[in-house]
Amino acid sequence: VGSLLALSFIGAQGDLSLENYQRLIDNKAYLAIFLTTFEISAVITLICVLLGYPLAYFITLLPSRAVGFAMLAIILPFWTSLLVRTYAWMVLLQKQGLVNSALLKLGVIAEPISLLHNYAGTVIGMSHIMLPFLVLPLYGSMKAIDRDLLRAAANLGAGPIVRFWTVAFPLSLPGLGAGALIVFVLSLGFYVTPALLGGGKVTMVAMRIQKSVALYPNWGAASALAVVLLVVTAVVLLLGLWIWRRNRPVMT
């Protein structure tokens, strides 16, 4: 990291310079890339929350033996190479792929739709890969909730919906926050999936760093981008920690 930081201050002539950072400020294309990266990361986090929360809650309701199978199904993708999973999505999302074929047979669409080499394909692939990172900490948080609290709420007349929103949901927020933060931070630096499923039409910061090294090659510009991404990631983590400390429940 120190070497990376030092390279970011080396100009094109080999002298100490801020030109790499000045380029990031002057060139609006870099701002657009960062905005795209944050937008995709936020969308992926939101999708994972919407899909992962019901899934984690459902797993907590299963018998202990069924929980083992459910967790195995969630962890199983980790045993497969990230590259292989991404290529599998390329096969599924192409115009003659399984997704389009199923939609055509069901009559949902009249002709194949473009789900590959665009924003939609990037979001679908990244959401699938990131989902376990939200479900696992969230499930741990939900499993730790004292069921006597839910029974006490029921004895006081609270219905299932009221018990969920007033007892279960607030107590699951630490796991939800941790999972969402992990997904968001990992998405910021993702490279393989958006590079393949986006087809070059969706450019994130990690992809721009790779191009700076491979095409130009400009290690100084790439290092400056990496340093900025590292700083932004650290700020997000510190902000998440600050929010958690201010809102964590006080045990008495």
Side-chain angles (χ1 to χ4, degrees):
V1 174
S3 177
L4 193 73
L5 180 62
L7 279 174
S8 68
F9 290 101
I10 303 299
Q13 305 301 323
D15 55 343
L16 289 177
S17 173
L18 293 174
E19 66 178 68
N20 294 315
Y21 292 98
Q22 188 64 42
R23 186 184 299 109
L24 299 183
I25 298 173
D26 295 339
N27 193 339
K28 294 183 179 180
Y30 288 106
L31 177 60
I33 292 173
F34 272 97
L35 290 177
T36 299
T37 301
F38 271 87
E39 178 187 336
I40 291 179
S41 299
V43 170
I44 298 301
T45 303
L46 178 61
I47 292 175
C48 287
V49 168
L50 294 177
L51 295 177
Y53 197 98
L55 177 58
Y57 186 75
F58 172 74
I59 294 175
T60 61
L61 303 178
L62 294 176
S64 57
R65 181 174 297 180
V67 169
F69 286 105
M71 296 305 294
L72 179 63
I74 293 172
I75 299 174
L76 189 62
F78 287 116
W79 300 350
T80 308
S81 168
L82 175 64
L83 190 61
V84 172
R85 281 182 280 166
T86 302
Y87 273 111
W89 273 113
M90 294 179 69
V91 174
L92 291 172
L93 297 177
Q94 61 183 327
K95 289 191 175 181
Q96 292 77 33
L98 183 62
V99 174
N100 269 308
S101 299
L103 293 176
L104 286 170
K105 288 182 179 179
L106 293 173
V108 177
I109 56 177
E111 59 182 19
I113 57 178
S114 179
L115 295 174
L116 190 62
H117 296 159
N118 53 24
Y119 191 96
T122 302
V123 169
I124 292 172
M126 288 184 64
S127 297
H128 165 253
I129 291 171
M130 291 297 175
L131 187 60
F133 291 101
L134 184 129
V135 173
L136 294 177
L138 182 56
Y139 169 76
S141 180
M142 288 182 170
K143 195 66 177 176
I145 296 176
D146 189 350
R147 298 298 166 181
D148 288 339
L149 297 176
L150 298 174
R151 298 188 188 97
N155 290 335
L156 293 172
I161 297 178
V162 175
R163 291 200 302 270
F164 173 79
W165 284 113
T166 59
V167 180
F169 181 72
L171 293 176
S172 68
L173 285 179
L176 179 62
L181 188 62
I182 291 171
V183 171
F184 185 79
V185 168
L186 289 178
S187 298
L188 287 176
F190 226 70
Y191 171 73
V192 174
T193 302
L196 293 177
L197 296 182
K201 298 178 181 178
V202 179
T203 303
M204 298 179 69
V205 175
M207 297 167 60
R208 189 64 185 84
I209 292 173
Q210 186 270 340
K211 287 182 180 178
S212 295
V213 174
L215 299 181
Y216 298 114
N218 192 333
W219 283 92
S223 299
L225 272 171
V227 169
V228 172
L229 180 61
L230 179 62
V231 171
V232 169
T233 304
V235 170
V236 171
L237 288 172
L238 291 174
L239 181 61
L241 180 62
W242 178 76
I243 294 174
W244 178 79
R245 285 180 173 175
R246 284 181 59 87
N247 295 279
R248 63 180 174 179
V250 178
M251 305 303 293
T252 59

